[in-house]
């Protein structure tokens, strides 16, 4: 066993006596919509409300990719691997983009709101949630538990 990580993030609790999974919090998506789009005037939308739209999206968004592709009928997703290209396209186009409660205050996402041409809108949909767990080998508990506790205290709620 190579043990390359002390702690990993999982979307569910792992049932194994050698492993401990502790709840961190919930991740959920929001969507940044062009100010001229009528949906930008709503406090929240559902995934179905976003049907038929085109979105600029980071390529590596984990389980969110399958969820948005399944839940937003007729949508087009313009996936970008290079985050600086994503930021430039976001800045100079009207394409909506997704953010999460975990990424909203990160510099890359924050800068995409700089021009104030988009409004952050919550997605109020039962499918819009991923529970996150800090998972680690019980042998790593002494090191991993303080990390999990700090993360839980700082987990973004809104």
């Amino acid at each position: 066993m190579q043990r390359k990580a002390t702690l990993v993030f999982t979307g569910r609790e792992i049932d194994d006596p050698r492993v401990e999974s502790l709840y961190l919090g919930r991740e959920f998506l929001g969507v940044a919509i062009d100010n001229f789009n009528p949906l930008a005037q709503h406090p929240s939308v559902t995934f179905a409300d976003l049907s038929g739209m085109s979105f600029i999206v980071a390529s590596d968004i984990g389980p969110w990719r399958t969820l948005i592709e399944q839940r937003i009928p007729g949508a087009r997703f313009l996936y970008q691997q290079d985050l600086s290209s994503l930021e430039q396209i976001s800045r100079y186009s009207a394409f909506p983009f997704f953010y999460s409660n975990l990424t909203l205050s990160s510099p890359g996402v924050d800068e995409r709101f700089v021009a104030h041409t988009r409004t952050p809108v919550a997605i109020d949909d039962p499918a819009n949630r991923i529970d996150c767990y800090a998972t680690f080998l019980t042998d790593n508990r002494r090191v991993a538990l303080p990390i999990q506790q700090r993360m839980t205290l700082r987990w973004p709620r809104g």
Side-chain angles (χ1 to χ4, degrees):
M1 186 180 291
Q2 293 186 2
R3 297 183 185 218
K4 292 184 178 182
T6 300
L7 180 144
V8 296
F9 300 103
T10 57
R12 64 181 176 83
E13 199 168 2
I14 305 298
D15 186 21
D16 184 315
R18 299 168 296 171
V19 173
E20 196 165 341
S21 295
L22 299 174
Y23 184 72
L24 289 170
R26 181 169 291 150
E27 183 179 20
F28 52 88
L29 291 181
V31 61
I33 300 176
D34 182 80
N35 293 340
F36 294 107
N37 184 313
L39 292 177
Q41 307 313 310
H42 297 266
S44 66
V45 295
T46 64
F47 286 121
D49 293 333
L50 302 172
S51 66
M53 295 176 70
S54 295
F55 300 87
I56 185 80
V57 185
S59 292
D60 189 13
I61 57 171
W64 290 116
R65 185 173 184 150
T66 301
L67 190 132
I68 62 174
E69 289 175 355
Q70 291 175 347
R71 296 285 180 161
I72 307 175
R76 295 190 55 149
F77 301 101
L78 308 169
Y79 291 107
Q80 299 294 307
Q81 284 188 310
D82 179 36
L83 294 180
S84 71
S85 295
L86 177 77
E87 191 246 310
Q88 288 297 310
I89 294 168
S90 296
R91 190 176 285 229
Y92 297 109
S93 75
F95 291 118
F97 62 85
F98 298 102
Y99 60 88
S100 86
N101 57 317
L102 300 181
T103 64
L104 184 58
S105 62
S106 66
V109 173
D110 197 35
E111 289 174 18
R112 291 162 67 191
F113 282 103
V114 166
H116 304 291
T117 60
R118 288 188 188 75
T119 300
V121 179
I123 299 174
D124 187 9
D125 193 291
N128 186 20
R129 62 179 272 180
I130 294 177
D131 290 324
C132 298
Y133 293 83
T135 301
F136 50 89
L137 295 171
T138 53
D139 294 349
N140 290 340
R141 189 174 213 285
R142 183 183 60 75
V143 174
L145 190 59
I147 297 169
Q148 181 272 338
Q149 290 170 337
R150 274 189 300 253
M151 291 181 76
T152 300
L153 288 173
R154 291 183 172 92
W155 195 269
R157 304 291 176 224

